[in-house]
Amino acid sequence: MAAVPLPKWASEPCVMGIDEAGRGPVLGPMVYGCLYCAISYQKTLASLSFADSKTLKEEKREELFENLKSDPSIGWEVDVIDPRELSAQMLKRTKINLNEISHNSAMDLIKKALDKGILLTEVYLDTVGDADKYQIKLSEKFQGIKFVVSKKADSIYPVVSGASIVAKVTRDRALKDWDLDETNQNINRNFGSGYPGDPNTKAWLETHKNPVFGFPTLVRFSWGTCTPFLDKSVQVLWECEKDEEEGRNGKKQLKLSNVGFGGYKRKIEDIESSGKGRCKFFQTRKLQSVSKFL
């Protein structure tokens, strides 16, 4: 597929605004959106009636989104983060918190614009976490670009207001048209706003919980909101956890001191193991750790 040619204004100094939608809800994706244009176009941008998307009615947001999409002097991009990906990153062994996920998404949008050849010189963002630390992080990552990280940036800077509309409309459409994987479970779409405090959302979670499998994939199962709904769910004992516990008490498990961490020296090939503490997958297949390859 041929690359889309860049508009002429992309080679001029450009400004970008970045904002998100759906950070707090327990349902659906989190969406980061950006809007960019030539710095020389900012006065015109300010006259387009962009505002913080939360202050606008849905019909107005949709109208403004269609307007900016058809404006040849404006570019935009989105990053839609699936609820399963959010939960997976926040619950994996090396956890990534929501602030870091947000930072990474914003930086990906900046990188995409730069990779396209957009001459970004200024970027404005709503703060996530400590504003000063976030600004330093961005400045170190993308040297030569001026960053402004501010609270309520979507209410202060039109370019961020535009990004707010991009993100909000994209999330609303994604949630409305969400392709539910659990087609055989008679799932309804009356889930309200998706925010934890919404009674309709709470009722939906109660109705659609499963004692074994938890919630449909639309749900961010890592959110604390989900925990009370699963108090009576089936408890799962993972076999490898049991094996690991046995391994810690096994007679042939060696201490760190026996492999060179306490003044003792011993070659790795001399180390014996009972096999306890290893996942059943490896035990049944008689797989062993090796230190040398032929």
Side-chain angles (χ1 to χ4, degrees):
M1 183 181 293
V4 178
L6 285 174
K8 292 181 179 180
W9 55 262
S11 59
E12 301 177 27
C14 292
V15 60
M16 172 184 280
I18 299 176
D19 200 20
E20 55 77 25
R23 179 180 168 87
V26 68
L27 301 178
M30 179 171 73
V31 177
Y32 258 77
C34 73
L35 182 147
Y36 52 89
C37 64
I39 289 178
S40 60
Y41 193 70
Q42 280 195 101
K43 287 186 178 180
T44 304
L45 190 69
S47 69
L48 299 181
S49 302
F50 292 152
D52 176 4
S53 63
K54 294 185 289 295
T55 67
L56 301 172
K57 293 183 178 181
E58 181 179 359
E59 295 79 9
K60 186 63 176 177
R61 290 196 299 265
E62 287 282 348
E63 177 189 335
L64 290 172
F65 185 49
E66 292 302 321
N67 289 345
L68 71 85
K69 283 170 59 180
S70 62
D71 191 328
S73 296
I74 292 175
W76 60 279
E77 185 75 58
V78 293
D79 181 23
V80 180
I81 308 173
D82 189 277
R84 289 167 292 188
E85 182 181 350
L86 287 170
S87 294
Q89 291 197 53
M90 295 176 71
L91 291 178
K92 66 182 184 178
R93 180 166 296 184
T94 304
K95 295 177 174 57
I96 302 177
N97 64 37
L98 193 58
N99 281 2
E100 189 172 354
I101 294 172
S102 299
H103 290 177
N104 291 341
S105 182
M107 289 189 290
D108 282 347
L109 289 173
I110 296 169
K111 185 177 184 302
K112 283 182 180 178
L114 293 173
D115 289 346
K116 284 182 180 179
I118 307 298
L119 182 58
L120 284 182
T121 57
E122 298 179 16
V123 178
Y124 294 79
L125 310 91
D126 205 12
T127 188
V128 176
D130 184 277
D132 292 336
K133 291 181 179 179
Y134 190 16
Q135 188 164 315
I136 291 171
K137 181 178 183 178
L138 291 165
S139 297
E140 290 178 347
K141 177 77 173 179
F142 302 100
Q143 297 181 11
I145 297 177
K146 172 189 173 183
F147 286 96
V148 176
V149 179
S150 170
K151 290 182 179 180
K152 304 294 183 183
D154 49 3
S155 300
I156 301 171
Y157 306 105
V159 70
V160 184
S161 302
S164 174
I165 291 168
V166 169
K168 177 63 175 170
V169 173
T170 300
R171 174 178 153 81
D172 287 349
R173 290 181 179 181
L175 201 56
K176 182 179 179 180
D177 301 328
W178 194 264
D179 186 12
L180 295 166
D181 295 334
E182 301 80 6
T183 55
N184 63 333
Q185 295 186 27
N186 194 28
I187 296 175
N188 69 66
R189 292 180 176 271
N190 301 321
F191 38 65
S193 66
Y195 281 88
D198 187 331
N200 291 329
T201 299
K202 289 182 178 180
W204 189 90
L205 290 171
E206 179 64 38
T207 302
H208 293 87
K209 67 182 180 181
N210 184 292
V212 176
F213 300 106
F215 293 105
T217 52
L218 177 66
V219 179
R220 304 177 189 179
F221 54 84
S222 61
W223 258 235
T225 309
C226 297
T227 305
F229 293 98
L230 299 176
D231 285 343
K232 296 181 180 180
S233 61
V234 175
Q235 298 299 307
V236 178
L237 176 63
W238 297 98
E239 189 174 52
C240 59
E241 291 179 355
K242 181 180 178 182
D243 290 341
E244 288 171 0
E245 184 63 33
E246 289 177 354
R248 282 192 287 270
N249 298 325
K251 291 182 180 180
K252 291 187 180 181
Q253 289 293 313
L254 295 174
K255 297 180 180 179
L256 289 177
S257 59
N258 292 338
V259 288
F261 285 89
Y264 295 88
K265 294 183 178 179
R266 187 170 182 173
K267 293 182 179 180
I268 190 68
E269 58 264 28
D270 294 335
I271 298 172
E272 294 181 0
S273 173
S274 65
K276 291 182 178 180
R278 306 179 68 224
C279 182
K280 199 73 173 179
F281 176 89
F282 297 101
Q283 290 187 36
T284 56
R285 290 162 178 77
K286 302 185 184 301
L287 299 176
Q288 301 292 329
S289 299
V290 296
S291 59
K292 292 182 179 180
F293 298 90
L294 297 177

